[in-house]
Amino acid sequence: MTATAADIARAVAVLREGGLVAFPTETVYGLGADASNATAVRRMYAVKGRPAGHPVIVHVPSVDSLDAWATDVPEDARKLAKAFWPGPLTLILKRSARVVDAATAGLPTVGLRVPDHPIATALLEAFGGGIAAPSANRFGSVSPTTAAHVVADLGPAVDLVLDGGPCRVGVESTIVDLSGAEATLLRPGGVSREALEDVLGRPLHRHDGQAVRAPGMLASHYAPRARVVLTSPAELATTAAALLAEGERVGALATDDDVLPEGAERIVLPVTAEEAAARLYAALREADERGLTVLLATLPPEQGLGLAVADRLRRAAGPRT
Ligand code: TXA
Ligand code: MG
């Protein structure tokens, strides 16, 4: 399973040559390219099928990298970085000259994150530069939380996949924009809003409106092939029965205790928000592996990691383009 020192050395060589390395983080697997090499970054976009207008996160080895990749870093950013890095938090800051245009879609800002995974840390330290990395899946589909998911999605287009086992957090990093006057939550994720607000000492602004700055903001992201339908715990069984009667192949993300009609398949999603987050993307993939046409889901309470789980389920259920 776990990548060795020799694998890390090979990965560094691949990155230096402008190649692509998929690597584990605590959130999801990333598809990494040398953040200073525009050609490598463009190749990463092509492999992912990602439109050039969507910026990617630059992963750096430690808090000390902040001033190399960002300018005018506000005190709040230093506070959050100190409190949560390494960890599932991405800070949007004014970019430094070191950041290539290809990674930021030409925006004057850059997303920075120090991941909390021993293999990511070893890779970043050995590489010595920034690694631009989106989640290592095809654009719009479900993010990978195992090395096998990466191989299934991207196959031989990736030069090297570092295996670090299943991701601990399971949903992407929380994104906070600190490049403007207000600290704004752009995407809920692995660090809870409550924890961020505790450190900041005030509420975060919420991203609203449709000024799409992050593809995570698009409806129909994180979607399996099965149609995802949101329902309530009270209506789960009757909704499942109605869809079965229409001839659908029905499954539900459910607890062991939820009652489902005969013929509906149960994909267990644990009750606690942390465990649900860790299982969520594998569960969405399982719906497709089982050949379901409809997947029912209920939203968890939107506290702690529940906010991120509910966000991803809403997007999975969103209109498809
Ligand atoms: O946990 C994560 O964040 C994972 C791991 C690999 O680090 N990465 C990830 O990357 O989720 P991706 O590309 O799937 O999502 C990154 C999000 C996108 O929604 C992108 O638009 C946003 O970050 N983003 C990146 N740079 C930005 C910027 N300068 N301004 C606003 N949003 C930005
Ligand atoms: Mg993604």
Side-chain angles (χ1 to χ4, degrees), residues 28-29 48 50 134-144 172 187 215-216 221-222 281:
V28 301
Y29 277 71
K48 210 181 134 72
R50 183 179 185 115
S135 50
N137 53 286
R138 298 277 310 165
F139 182 71
S141 78
V142 177
S143 298
E172 295 84 348
R187 177 178 75 182
H221 225 72
Y222 314 104
Y281 290 147

Side-chain angles (χ1 to χ4, degrees), residues 23-31 48 50 53-59 87-93 103-105 107-113 115 133-137 143 171-175 177 179 186-187 190 212-217 221-222 312:
F23 63 98
T25 80
E26 78 280 31
T27 59
V28 301
Y29 277 71
L31 176 62
K48 210 181 134 72
R50 183 179 185 115
H54 295 292
V56 293
I57 296 168
V58 175
H59 297 71
L89 174 67
T90 295
L91 299 176
I92 306 297
L93 298 165
T104 71
L107 290 175
T109 55
V110 63
L112 295 178
R113 164 164 128 80
S135 50
N137 53 286
S143 298
V171 291
E172 295 84 348
S173 60
T174 304
I175 304 181
D177 187 351
S179 67
L186 295 185
R187 177 178 75 182
V212 176
R213 284 202 285 169
M217 301 272 138
H221 225 72
Y222 314 104
R312 304 307 189 272

Side-chain angles (χ1 to χ4, degrees), residues 3-317:
T4 62
D7 294 327
I8 299 289
R10 250 182 80 211
V12 168
V14 168
L15 290 173
R16 294 221 168 106
E17 284 159 15
L20 304 181
V21 174
F23 63 98
T25 80
E26 78 280 31
T27 59
V28 301
Y29 277 71
L31 176 62
D34 178 354
S36 304
N37 181 338
T39 311
V41 171
R42 279 194 289 267
R43 195 173 146 229
M44 175 260 284
Y45 273 73
V47 162
K48 210 181 134 72
R50 183 179 185 115
H54 295 292
V56 293
I57 296 168
V58 175
H59 297 71
V60 294
S62 79
V63 184
D64 299 335
S65 318
L66 211 43
D67 294 292
W69 295 90
T71 56
D72 299 335
V73 177
E75 208 38 52
D76 281 342
R78 295 189 198 280
K79 256 201 220 169
L80 293 179
K82 276 203 193 93
F84 298 107
W85 283 356
L89 174 67
T90 295
L91 299 176
I92 306 297
L93 298 165
K94 295 198 180 102
R95 66 191 255 200
S96 77
R98 189 162 175 183
V99 181
V100 294
D101 277 332
T104 71
L107 290 175
T109 55
V110 63
L112 295 178
R113 164 164 128 80
V114 178
D116 183 17
H117 190 291
I119 293 173
T121 306
L123 179 63
L124 284 161
E125 278 172 358
F127 180 58
I131 300 179
S135 50
N137 53 286
R138 298 277 310 165
F139 182 71
S141 78
V142 177
S143 298
T145 52
T146 67
H149 294 163
V150 177
V151 174
D153 274 15
L154 302 176
V158 185
D159 299 303
L160 181 65
V161 179
L162 295 174
D163 192 343
C167 299
R168 173 171 57 82
V169 176
V171 291
E172 295 84 348
S173 60
T174 304
I175 304 181
V176 177
D177 187 351
L178 291 163
S179 67
E182 304 286 359
T184 304
L185 179 65
L186 295 185
R187 177 178 75 182
V191 173
S192 74
R193 186 179 48 152
E194 295 88 338
L196 291 163
E197 292 178 343
D198 271 355
V199 170
L200 283 178
R202 60 191 155 80
L204 282 169
H205 280 245
R206 298 293 293 275
H207 178 86
D208 51 5
Q210 285 306 71
V212 176
R213 284 202 285 169
M217 301 272 138
L218 293 175
S220 171
H221 225 72
Y222 314 104
R225 282 190 303 277
R227 180 160 63 94
V228 177
V229 173
L230 300 181
T231 180
S232 65
E235 285 165 31
L236 185 60
T238 48
T239 310
L243 288 161
L244 284 167
E246 287 169 21
E248 301 279 6
R249 208 143 160 222
V250 180
L253 298 182
T255 66
D256 286 316
D257 296 332
D258 286 318
V259 175
L260 293 176
E262 180 80 41
E265 297 187 34
R266 181 187 312 269
I267 299 178
V268 174
L269 200 62
V271 182
T272 71
E274 280 73 20
E275 289 173 295
R279 241 318 270 153
L280 179 66
Y281 290 147
L284 293 177
R285 283 171 186 265
E286 194 177 329
D288 286 341
E289 281 152 23
R290 292 200 196 186
L292 301 178
T293 58
V294 181
L295 180 67
L296 295 174
T298 60
L299 297 181
E302 298 187 33
Q303 286 136 25
L305 283 204
L307 186 64
V309 172
D311 171 77
R312 304 307 189 272
L313 284 172
R314 280 207 189 85
R315 292 181 200 294

